[in-house]
Amino acid sequence: MAGNEELTGPVPQDLEAAEKLKNEANEYFKRQNYNRAIELYTQAIEKNPTSAVYFANRSISNLRLENFGYALNDASKAIEIDKLYTKAYYRRAAAYMALGKYKFALKDFEYVIKVRPNDLDAKMKYNECNKIVKKIAFEKAISVDKKGVNIADTINLDAMTIEDEYEGPSLEDGKVTLKFVKELMEYYKEQKKLHKKYAYKILIDVKAYFQKQPSLVDIKVPDDKKFTVCGDIHGQFYDLMNIFKLNGLPSDTNPYLFNGDFVDRGPFSVECIFTLFSFKLLYPDHFYMSRGNHETRDMNRVYGFQGEVTSKYTSQMADLFTELYNWLPLAHCINNRVLVMHGGLFSKDDVTLDDIRNVDRNKQPPEDGIMCELLWSDPQPMAGRSPSKRGVGCQFGPDVTAAFLQKNGLDYIIRSHEVKNDGYEVAHDGKCITVFSAPNYCDTMGNLGAFITMNGKELKPKFTSYEAVPHPDVKPMAYAHSMLSMFYQ
C-alpha cells in the first residue's frame, strides 16, 4: 500500500503548501534576500519535488549568490522534470557562463531553438553565446601565434605623449609618489581618468615587481605594530576610500593586505586597481595583494572588468591585466602564524605551506588542485568536505581546518570570497575567519563591509564594520557582458 501511495505523488495539501512557500520565496527574492528565498524554495521542493519551477527559481537565487554549482544542479533537475521549460535552460546556461563553460551554455540554447524554432529570445541568446564561443576560439588561435610574447614588453611608453590639456596627476621621474597617489584618489573621486601613459607605466612596473615574488609571501609584523587585512572590494571605489578614511592611508607604519577580488561587478574597478597598484609601488614592503578568483580572464570577461578597461582604455590593456594577474601571489603568511588566502583550504589532506610556495602560478587557474582551491574554496559548518556550491573548489569543515593548522603550526586562517551580513564571520571554533570589504555589495545585498586589524604580538583579530557610502549613479555590472543581464531576467 505504501508503495502505491508513493506513486501518486504529493497530496493536495502539500501542493497547496508548496505553492504558498514558493510565493513567499518570490517575495524574498524580489527584496534581494536570496538566502531566505532559497530556504523557502527548498521547503517548497520538499513538499512538491515534481515542480520544475521551484528548482529553476532556486537556481536563479543561487546564481545571484554566485553558488554556480548549486545553480547548475537545480537547473539540470528542472530540465529533467520538464524538458520544454525554457527558463531552466537559461538558468543552466547562466551557470555554465559564470564557470567559463561557454560551449555547454551554447548547447542548451541549441536545444531550446530546436524545440522552439519561433522563440526569438532564444535565438538572440544563442547568437550572443555563439559570438563568445567564436571569439574565444579566435583569441586562442591568436595566442598560439603569440606564444612567448609578453604584452608588457611590446608597450612603447616613449611613443605616448601627454597632451597639454591633461590636468591629472603625474608620475615623478616615472615613479609613484605619495603626492601622486593622493592626487590620483581625488581625481578619481571626480570621475576623471589617469593618463594612459602613466597607467601603462604603473602596470609594467607592478608586473615586474610581482614576477619576483613567491606564490606564498611571508609577512613580518613587529610586536607593537598594527596590520590590516581587507577582503573583496569588487570595484566599489568610494567604499575603498572610506576604508582609508576610517583606518588611515597605507604607509610604512600602517601596512595593509588586500585579499583578492579587487575588480568586477562594481563599476569603478579601474579606479580601485590603479589606486591599489600605486600603493603597492609606493610601499612594496608594507602593502600586499593576493589573487582572487576574479583576477582571472573568464571572470573579467563576464563580470565587467574586461569591458570597463576596454571602455576606459584599450583591449590591449585588458590583456596586459590578464598577464599581470597571473603573477599575483596566491597567499600570505603573517608571522608564521596566520595564513591568508582568498578562497580557502584543500580537497586533499597533508597540504603544506611549502606546497603552496611551490605552486607555479603564472597561468589561469586550473579547475582543481591547490591553486584553484586557494582561490575558490569555502568553509562549511559540518565536518568533512563537500562538493563546492560554486562548482569550483571544495567546501571544508572545522576538522579539515584544525588538521591543516596543526600540520603547519598555524593559529588560524583568514579568507574572503563570501558576502557576510556584518562584513565578517568567525567560524570553525575561531580558526577560520571570513572578511568581506564591499558593503551593500552590488548596491543590493544590504551587508556591512569590514576589515581586520591586529598587532604583531597577539595577532588577535579586531573587526571594524562599516556601511556603504554614496557613489555616483553608475550601476553595478555596468560593464558586464550583455549576456549576463539577459540570463538574470
Side-chain angles (χ1 to χ4, degrees):
M1 187 71 184
N4 290 338
E5 281 174 5
E6 280 174 23
L7 291 173
T8 60
V11 296
Q13 300 97 296
D14 283 349
L15 291 174
E16 192 179 327
E19 231 2 62
K20 273 187 183 167
L21 287 163
K22 180 206 77 172
N23 292 336
E24 193 183 345
N26 288 351
E27 289 306 311
Y28 278 102
F29 181 88
K30 283 176 199 164
R31 297 203 290 270
Q32 281 116 23
N33 189 338
Y34 304 119
N35 282 309
R36 182 62 182 143
I38 287 168
E39 287 172 12
L40 291 163
Y41 288 133
T42 301
Q43 290 173 32
I45 287 165
E46 285 164 1
K47 296 277 186 192
N48 177 16
T50 66
S51 169
V53 173
Y54 300 169
F55 283 100
N57 286 8
R58 192 170 69 176
S59 176
I60 193 169
S61 302
N62 273 307
L63 276 170
R64 294 286 169 90
L65 292 175
E66 300 188 15
N67 298 336
F68 306 129
Y70 287 177
L72 192 63
N73 291 340
D74 277 345
S76 294
K77 183 68 182 171
I79 289 166
E80 190 185 306
I81 293 167
D82 182 358
K83 282 200 164 49
L84 297 178
Y85 186 39
T86 314
K87 262 190 185 173
Y89 288 92
Y90 292 169
R91 303 286 182 259
R92 190 165 73 176
Y96 279 137
M97 286 275 292
L99 293 166
K101 298 183 176 182
Y102 306 102
K103 285 183 180 174
F104 288 106
L106 192 63
K107 275 186 183 172
D108 278 342
F109 287 123
E110 278 175 340
Y111 182 81
V112 175
I113 58 176
K114 199 180 284 180
V115 296
R116 300 184 64 171
N118 298 322
D119 188 332
L120 297 178
D121 185 51
K123 273 186 182 162
M124 179 180 71
K125 290 182 165 90
Y126 170 83
N127 289 334
E128 282 295 314
C129 196
N130 199 23
K131 276 186 210 167
I132 296 174
V133 171
K134 285 182 174 171
K135 186 173 182 233
I136 292 168
F138 179 66
E139 285 170 0
K140 269 188 184 160
I142 290 177
S143 70
V144 169
D145 294 341
K146 291 182 177 175
K147 212 159 191 165
V149 175
N150 282 317
I151 294 165
D153 297 338
T154 67
I155 308 295
N156 184 355
L157 291 173
D158 294 335
M160 299 180 195
T161 53
I162 311 289
E163 300 78 9
D164 291 341
E165 57 269 24
Y166 177 70
E167 296 176 343
S170 301
L171 296 175
E172 294 175 32
D173 296 325
K175 296 277 190 287
V176 170
T177 60
L178 182 56
K179 177 174 177 282
F180 170 84
V181 187
K182 285 181 173 178
E183 287 179 4
L184 179 65
M185 291 186 292
E186 292 307 313
Y187 203 59
Y188 278 156
K189 285 176 192 173
E190 296 169 14
Q191 293 185 270
K192 294 179 178 173
K193 190 173 77 173
L194 177 65
H195 195 279
K196 70 176 181 181
K197 182 168 186 171
Y198 300 134
Y200 271 114
K201 178 74 167 90
I202 287 169
L203 295 181
I204 291 166
D205 288 354
V206 88
K207 184 195 169 202
Y209 181 87
F210 281 130
Q211 277 182 283
K212 296 172 189 162
Q213 295 298 291
S215 291
L216 170 59
V217 175
D218 286 292
I219 300 173
K220 298 297 176 207
V221 182
D223 284 358
D224 58 341
K225 297 297 183 189
K226 180 178 90 164
F227 190 80
T228 302
V229 181
C230 296
D232 303 40
I233 297 298
H234 275 302
Q236 296 185 199
F237 175 74
Y238 296 86
D239 294 308
L240 173 61
M241 294 297 97
N242 189 39
I243 292 172
F244 294 151
K245 183 180 172 186
L246 294 170
N247 194 53
L249 286 179
S251 70
D252 291 344
T253 56
N254 193 25
Y256 278 82
L257 164 57
F258 279 83
N259 195 27
D261 282 15
F262 324 113
V263 301
D264 275 340
R265 292 191 176 272
F268 308 106
S269 293
V270 162
E271 290 78 3
C272 285
I273 198 65
F274 277 115
T275 300
L276 295 173
F277 280 163
S278 296
F279 276 120
K280 180 64 192 170
L281 291 172
L282 185 59
Y283 304 115
D285 299 324
H286 300 89
F287 192 89
Y288 303 91
M289 298 173 71
S290 297
R291 191 176 191 176
N293 65 301
H294 276 266
E295 279 70 57
T296 54
R297 185 177 52 229
D298 281 342
M299 291 287 116
N300 293 167
R301 183 183 271 129
V302 175
Y303 287 98
F305 185 62
Q306 186 184 76
E308 185 181 342
V309 176
T310 303
S311 169
K312 291 176 179 176
Y313 289 101
T314 63
S315 59
Q316 179 198 44
M317 186 182 283
D319 292 338
L320 177 56
F321 268 108
T322 299
E323 187 175 281
L324 189 166
Y325 286 158
N326 285 350
W327 287 107
L328 282 168
L330 302 177
H332 293 77
C333 192
I334 304 170
N335 290 358
N336 300 314
R337 288 168 56 196
V338 180
L339 186 68
V340 189
M341 78 291 280
H342 180 73
L345 296 180
F346 312 103
S347 54
K348 291 180 180 171
D349 293 327
D350 299 332
V351 174
T352 65
L353 298 185
D354 279 342
D355 292 330
I356 298 172
R357 285 189 182 95
N358 293 330
V359 171
D360 174 15
R361 72 184 187 279
N362 178 26
K363 58 189 173 187
Q364 291 301 296
E367 292 197 7
D368 52 32
I370 289 175
M371 180 176 178
C372 165
E373 289 159 357
L374 282 166
L375 302 186
W376 279 98
S377 291
D378 296 291
Q380 64 180 21
M382 69 287 287
R385 295 179 175 92
S386 304
S388 170
K389 61 189 176 183
R390 300 174 189 267
V392 189
C394 73
Q395 289 175 205
F396 58 96
D399 55 327
V400 175
T401 300
F404 175 80
L405 295 175
Q406 185 176 8
K407 181 168 187 63
N408 290 284
L410 298 166
D411 293 358
Y412 61 94
I413 64 169
I414 298 175
R415 41 88 62 185
S416 302
H417 195 40
E418 286 182 289
V419 183
K420 298 297 176 186
N421 285 339
D422 295 322
Y424 70 92
E425 183 179 78
V426 181
H428 295 184
D429 305 312
K431 303 298 186 188
C432 177
I433 295 171
T434 298
V435 60
F436 190 87
S437 302
N440 195 23
Y441 181 44
C442 289
D443 287 355
T444 59
M445 299 299 282
N447 61 292
L448 298 175
F451 54 82
I452 298 171
T453 51
M454 62 185 79
N455 70 30
K457 188 175 183 182
E458 283 100 19
L459 295 177
K460 186 182 172 187
K462 177 179 171 249
F463 305 99
T464 302
S465 294
Y466 50 88
E467 294 184 346
V469 296
H471 63 76
D473 188 20
V474 185
K475 300 292 182 225
M477 310 289 280
Y479 298 95
H481 197 281
S482 56
M483 279 296 278
L484 211 62
S485 57
M486 285 162 35
F487 283 135
Y488 279 33
Q489 290 160 8

